[in-house]
Structures are given as C-alpha cells and as structure tokens.
Amino acid sequence: MTDLTALTLADARKGIAAKSFTSLELTEAHLAAMEKARVLNAYVLETPEQARAQARAADTKIAKGDVGPLAGIPLGVKDLFATQGVRTTACSKILGDFKPQYESTVTSQLWRDGAVMLGKLNNDEFAMGSSNETSAFGSVVNPWRREGSDAKLVPGGSSGGSASAVAANLCFGATGTDTGGSIRQPAAFTGIVGIKPTYGRCSRWGIVAFASSLDQAGPFARTVRDTSILMRSMAGHDPKDTTSVDQPVPDYEAAVGKSVKGMKIGIPKEYRIDGMSAEIEKLWTQGADWLKAAGAELVEISLPHTKYALPAYYVVAPAEASSNLARYDGVRYGARVNGKTISEMYENTRAAGFGPEVRRRIMIGTYVLSAGYYDAYYLRAQKVRTLIKKDFEEVFAKGINAILTPATPSAAFGIGEKGSADPIEMYLNDIFTVTVNMAGLPGIAVPAGKDAQGLPLGLQLIGRPFDEETLFSLGEVIEQAAGHFTPAKWW
Ligand code: GLN
C-alpha cells in the first residue's frame, strides 16, 4: 500500500474527491507517523481525538458531495495560534496550560474549509529565535542529516516544529508565523516551501503577538502548489485585526504554472555579503539561470539600505516585544509564582516564566524605548525602516516584478552549535529575510539545491505588496528545475 503521508496535499485532495481514501484514513496514517517520529520533537501536543472527530465530520460532508477546499486534509498548527480549548503556550513556561476560549482567525478559516488538526507544533519561545532551541519544550530535530553523520541538526526557527513536521511527512502542511524570517528560514533548512505573505494579508487575530508591526502568518508545505492552496484559506480580511487589509483573496493556485516570460527579476547587489560561501553564490546564480531559461529578464538592482536592516530589526522587534509581553504578569494567563507583594509576584512570575532569550529581548526593548534612549535607538530604527521600504518601492517603480536572493547564508547547523557565546551569531541567520518584514512585503522560500554535505538550501523571492501570485509562478519555475527534496528516513 502506498504511504498516504508521502502524498502532496494536492494529490490527497484529489484522492479524497475520487473516494480513493477517506479523511480518517489519511488522519490515522499521520497519527501513526507522528507516534514514530517523536524523536523529532516537532509536535508539542498531539490532538488525536480532535483530529479523528474532524476527519469523521469531513468524511460525512464529503459523502454528501460537500467538498471544501481543504476537505479532510490533516494539518499541523504552530503553537503560537490560539486554538479553542486546546493548550496554546507559544512554547513558553509563562503560559502554563493556557487553553484559549477562542480560535485564531487563520486556523478557524482552515477548519471552515474542512481541514483536520493533528496537533500543535513546536516553536522558539514567543517565536524569538532562528533554531527552535529557545522553546520551553526543547529543541526540534531536523529530519535532514549531514551525509555520513548522525549529528542532530536544527530545523531553523522560529517555526521549527512546523518545518520539521512537514519535511518528515507528519502533516501535509502547517501554519507558521514570520516576524523576521521564521517561515522562510526553517523552510530553507528543511527543503520545503514557505511563504510570508504581505503584511495585512492574513489576520493576526488570535496569534500570540511578538512584534505586531512585523508579524505575519503563512503556510508551509512540500510543494509550491500545496502552499498556494493553504494560502487561499489562510488569507482574507478580518475586522478583528485593524491591520488586516480588505482586498479580495485571489485563487493563488491558478498562478502556479503560469508563464513568467518577460518578467523582470531584480538581483540586489547588496545581498552579495562579505564572506558569502561559494555554495550559496552558485545556488543564487543557478536560480537566476533557471528563471532566465523560463523567459524572465534578470536585472542587477541596488537596495542601498540593506546593511542597516538587521540592526534596525533588532531594535524594532524587541521594542514591540517588550510592550506585547507586558501582559504576562501572572494574573491574566497561565503560570503564577506568588510573592509578598503584587510587584514581587509579577517579578517572580516573569523571572520563572520567561527563558533567557525572551528576557534579553524584553531588556533590549525596554532600554531602546526608555526616555533617554528612544530617539537614539527606536526612532532612528523606524527611520531606517522607512528608508528600507523606499529602496524596494523605487525598484518596483522601475518595473521589477520580483527580487531573487538566497534564503539563508548557510544550510542547517547543529543543535548547540551557534549563538551560545554570542547571540549575534544566531541573529545573522536572518540577514536575507528581515528586510522583507521591515518593508511589509511578501517573500517565499523555495528549495533549490544542496550543500556539499547533502543538506537542502533555499532561494527567496520577494514580491510587490499583495502580489503573492507572482511569487507562486516564479517559485514553481525553481521547483520544476530543482526537483523535490526528501530526507532519508532514520527515525
Ligand atoms: N529569528 C528572528 C528573531 O529571532 C525572527 C523570528 C521570527 O520571524 N519570528 O527575531
């Protein structure tokens, strides 16, 4: 019998419609695979009973001919999305056993369209990190290994559980969030596709906030088409999120396979950073050649403020985080550590509840927002942000349809290998991705090749605001040329 978990989402959808198998069969196959893959630590909570109930409900509807866009498709949900009655922790001890009374808009749209929830996926604590090592539930393991080695590698972060689960066939697709690269970087590290939509495309309502002006939800899947299918269900205007934009949601899937002939693709010279590895250079050139062969025109462009993006991000993001995380005080949610006075209780709760990286961000954030330093840091970073945005606007005004860059400066690294002595070493992972969040643009990561040790590498395409469709069309060209990337199963 064929392994149902290895199908693409699009093929699973076809099979369900053709009654080749049921949603319950798909769901059971995934639940069994999840049980065998616990060593990956991708799921922090498995919800088999809920999954079976949703699958049975989907099967009943399908039998009546009522087939929604995601009817019966099992998915995983990053633990940053509030799920009604189901423990939601942002992988922080401070949320304890918090069970929301409400469902995030994005996940409710997935269930509306018939999808099945398999469980909640691991992530860096409050989505702060690039390796999933800051999670209160421990590191996630990347299903990929270096050739000839059994060293455990990180899946990237912060949506590391989502990426690892999708790459290891523990769900057909998963939700992620991306504040500075948390969808695109883990997608690149695990050989799958991930898209961060335009800011405002998906509702942030019911998603644990990290940096509200940068956070955006998006899907992970194993193919560009599958990602486009999920994106359609996740996107849309939501009056409950004032930053969500009221624009019709296109049929993203229709963009997959569309010709890219005549499109102008920008190659930004500032992304050719010092010390860039020959492998990444080669991958980037290869990607450009593939797009050229498909009829696109490559144009060298300049985004002069790129080098300020990372330092500005690491001012803006912690500033917003320090404000967003003020609500975790031991009164409203989850864990509480008592004290003699109320302020002592706050202090005890926050000291015990937050991990070291989150505490570092809160301290940086409150510092850059404090009276004497606001102008020097926060205000300045906001001005830099405007300049970064303008760089992109000027390039797009010149007729560039999309921009091609590497997704990450390297392939996945080992657990414990980076950032313990100097956090900046970890922050440098986001060098190619943060600019996109600072400018509010859409960005997709597509697997494009392997490094010398056999690990997947990804390319990033950056688009005009609300033009995710172009990214799907171009992403598909890369996917067709590069093929699919499947880790050898060892778990
Ligand atoms: N790695 C970045 C950070 O730690 C981005 C994280 C994210 O996008 N959530 O802030």
Side-chain angles (χ1 to χ4, degrees):
M1 186 161 156
T2 53
D3 177 6
L4 293 177
T5 65
L7 295 172
T8 62
L9 190 159
D11 284 341
R13 194 180 53 174
K14 258 191 233 153
I16 282 202
K19 303 209 165 45
S20 310
F21 39 75
T22 64
S23 172
L24 193 58
E25 283 167 338
L26 286 182
T27 302
E28 293 294 355
H30 281 91
L31 291 172
M34 285 155 64
E35 216 179 298
K36 288 197 201 106
R38 291 203 180 121
V39 61
L40 300 180
N41 201 23
Y43 283 90
V44 293
L45 182 72
E46 297 176 10
T47 53
E49 289 320 311
Q50 171 151 356
R52 289 186 183 111
Q54 278 181 314
R56 283 194 195 98
D59 284 332
T60 309
K61 276 183 142 185
I62 295 162
K64 289 188 201 134
D66 179 2
V67 186
L70 292 173
I73 298 292
L75 301 175
V77 173
K78 186 177 183 179
D79 204 28
L80 222 62
F81 290 77
T83 40
Q84 191 174 4
V86 175
R87 193 189 70 190
T88 301
T89 69
C91 296
S92 177
K93 282 202 285 206
I94 207 154
L95 273 148
D97 275 325
F98 175 58
K99 288 198 182 79
Q101 306 279 318
Y102 47 85
E103 186 77 25
S104 84
T105 300
V106 162
T107 48
S108 70
Q109 289 174 182
L110 294 172
W111 319 142
R112 172 202 68 198
D113 288 350
V116 168
M117 179 166 91
L118 293 166
K120 301 298 290 285
L121 293 160
N122 209 337
N123 52 252
D124 277 297
E125 183 177 5
F126 283 105
M128 297 175 191
S130 304
S131 62
N132 216 118
E133 290 167 287
T134 74
S135 165
F137 293 98
S139 297
V140 173
V141 180
N142 191 328
W144 287 87
R145 289 170 161 186
R146 295 179 182 125
E147 265 158 28
S149 158
D150 59 7
K152 288 187 172 140
L153 306 181
V154 304
S158 65
S159 316
S162 305
S164 182
V166 171
N169 295 352
L170 309 180
C171 51
F172 286 123
T175 66
T177 61
D178 189 314
T179 304
S182 278
I183 291 176
R184 292 158 288 155
Q185 184 254 17
F189 274 17
T190 55
I192 61 169
V193 182
I195 181 167
K196 180 203 92 74
T198 311
Y199 184 77
R201 182 68 288 191
C202 293
S203 170
R204 290 183 298 107
W205 195 80
I207 301 174
V208 175
F210 165 9
S212 307
S213 77
L214 301 160
D215 297 345
Q216 186 59 202
F220 285 94
R222 291 188 289 271
T223 68
V224 171
R225 178 178 300 275
D226 289 358
T227 318
S228 78
I229 294 169
L230 290 170
M231 173 83 193
R232 190 178 188 187
S233 293
M234 290 171 72
H237 178 237
D238 177 11
K240 292 199 286 247
D241 171 5
T242 51
T243 62
S244 123
V245 175
D246 193 359
Q247 272 202 34
V249 178
D251 177 4
Y252 293 114
E253 198 183 352
V256 179
K258 241 188 177 165
S259 165
V260 302
K261 225 176 174 158
M263 279 193 190
K264 281 191 175 171
I265 310 301
I267 306 289
K269 61 171 192 250
E270 290 79 6
Y271 282 61
R272 196 155 277 121
I273 49 170
D274 287 345
M276 185 182 246
S277 78
E279 282 173 337
I280 299 287
E281 282 244 36
K282 210 176 117 212
L283 181 88
W284 196 7
T285 312
Q286 174 70 267
D289 289 345
W290 286 330
L291 296 179
K292 204 164 155 188
E297 184 192 334
L298 280 313
V299 186
E300 188 177 273
I301 58 165
S302 173
L303 298 164
H305 296 92
T306 300
K307 64 171 178 286
Y308 305 113
L310 198 67
Y313 168 85
Y314 276 98
V315 171
V316 173
E320 294 187 23
S322 71
S323 155
N324 273 325
L325 270 56
R327 73 190 71 175
Y328 304 105
D329 55 7
V331 177
R332 281 167 274 205
Y333 309 85
R336 172 184 295 182
V337 182
N338 283 321
K340 282 198 264 341
T341 60
I342 186 156
S343 36
E344 211 181 278
M345 185 277 284
Y346 291 157
E347 281 169 17
N348 292 346
T349 300
R350 288 169 69 83
F354 291 136
E357 182 59 28
V358 173
R359 279 185 289 202
R360 177 184 295 128
R361 306 275 180 125
I362 293 173
M363 283 191 280
I364 295 172
T366 44
Y367 178 79
V368 300
L369 289 173
S370 61
Y373 296 99
Y374 183 92
D375 289 358
Y377 291 102
Y378 185 70
L379 198 63
R380 199 143 182 195
Q382 290 290 27
K383 287 181 181 165
V384 170
R385 185 174 183 179
T386 305
L387 293 172
I388 291 167
K389 195 158 179 269
K390 265 175 69 187
D391 281 354
F392 282 105
E393 281 165 3
E394 278 166 23
V395 161
F396 290 133
K398 285 187 194 135
I400 295 292
N401 297 92
I403 296 164
L404 180 74
T405 79
T408 58
S410 73
F413 45 88
I415 292 178
E417 223 171 78
K418 261 191 192 177
S420 47
D422 180 4
I424 302 208
E425 198 187 9
M426 189 64 80
Y427 298 171
L428 283 168
N429 265 286
D430 308 322
I431 191 127
F432 301 129
T433 49
V434 289
T435 51
V436 177
N437 302 75
M438 293 294 263
L441 300 171
I444 194 170
V446 183
K450 283 187 183 169
D451 77 350
Q453 295 172 302
L455 298 177
L457 294 169
L459 285 169
Q460 171 178 240
L461 287 151
I462 306 169
R464 297 175 174 183
F466 296 95
D467 189 15
E468 285 82 4
E469 287 160 285
T470 293
L471 300 186
F472 287 124
S473 304
L474 291 164
E476 151 94 357
V477 171
I478 291 178
E479 182 177 73
Q480 288 293 323
H484 292 286
F485 295 78
T486 312
K489 197 166 167 189
W490 53 266
W491 56 91

